[in-house]
Structures are given as C-alpha cells and as structure tokens.
Amino acid sequence: MSGYVNSSPKFFRLVRRSMAAFAAFALLLAAFVRAPLQEAADPGRVPNPVKSAWFLLWIQELVSYTNLLVYPAFLLLIAFLLLPRIPCGAFPENAEWSLRAQRPVKFFVLAAFLLIVILTAVAAFFRGENWEFVLPI
C-alpha cells in the first residue's frame, strides 16, 4: 500500500462534530417550525391544479406532455441504480479529485440533475389552473 496517505483522525472528528451539530439543528427546526402540509383531502373540493410532492413534480411535468415520457424517467432511474457499476478506466496510483476517464459519467449526472431541477421549477412555479403555463407573479 505504498503511495497512499493515511487518513487523519482530526478530519473524522470534525466530520462527527459537524454531523452532531446538523442533527441538533434539524431537531430544533422540527420542534419549532411546522411542516408545510396541506389541509386534509376533500373529495368534494379538488384543488386545481393538483401537484404532486416536490420531489415528483418533474415526473408529473414530463407525463403532462405525453404518457410515453415516463419511460425515459424509468431509464434514468435504472441508469442511476447502475451508476456505481459503470467502468471508468483503471484506478490511478495516486489520489485525484477529478479523473479524466469519469468525465462522461459526471457530465451525464450533471445534465440529468439540471434537467430534473428545471422540470421541477417549471412544474412548481409556472403551472396554473388546468396545468396551463402561467407567470409566477
């Protein structure tokens, strides 16, 4: 194992303290800030538009164009599940932050992330009654 640098215990202490501070902050936030939940569902009064949870809005936006666009979403899910199995060349002898052989995978992940963020923003802020485009003013 020559050429490798041992990890520092100072770094992991800092990580542990940061995790504890974040957990304490999240618990305090949960204790004092109410969750932004909607009122109970009433079948006699359906809101227009009905939007899904924020993390599924991009799929709702895709499916609003055509039902067939759900298949690329499934393919994207499968691609992300297989992402750790994608071969990216030989491992370098020394540690490197950004391997040149991993650039296509990084570009794919970044492009998918940006597409999901854009679709989520469009569905969250630019959709009005009957799923029509509206300006968020």
Side-chain angles (χ1 to χ4, degrees), residues 3 6 16 21 26 32 35 62 65 72 80 83-84 89 91 102 104-105 111 118:
N6 292 329
R16 193 177 321 133
F32 294 111
L62 272 179
Y65 297 109
F80 275 108
L83 202 57
F91 287 102
Q102 292 179 347
V105 175
I118 289 170

Side-chain angles (χ1 to χ4, degrees), residues 16-115:
R16 193 177 321 133
R17 287 179 189 147
S18 299
M19 286 177 49
F22 179 75
F25 174 73
L27 285 173
L28 282 173
L29 195 64
F32 294 111
V33 177
R34 294 186 60 192
L37 299 177
Q38 295 179 351
E39 61 200 35
D42 181 10
R45 193 173 55 96
V46 179
N48 186 9
V50 177
K51 293 183 179 181
S52 62
W54 66 268
F55 49 89
L56 295 174
L57 269 178
W58 67 280
I59 295 176
Q60 186 178 6
E61 179 68 23
L62 272 179
V63 174
S64 71
Y65 297 109
T66 176
N67 293 343
L68 297 176
L69 287 177
V70 75
Y71 296 113
F74 282 128
L75 289 176
L76 188 64
L77 172 70
I78 290 170
F80 275 108
L81 287 174
L82 296 176
L83 202 57
R85 308 268 184 225
I86 295 175
C88 294
F91 287 102
E93 292 187 23
N94 295 322
E96 293 183 30
W97 283 106
S98 181
L99 297 176
R100 185 173 293 272
Q102 292 179 347
R103 283 190 180 169
V105 175
K106 291 176 183 176
F107 178 75
F108 168 74
V109 170
L110 183 63
F113 173 75
L114 289 176
L115 180 67

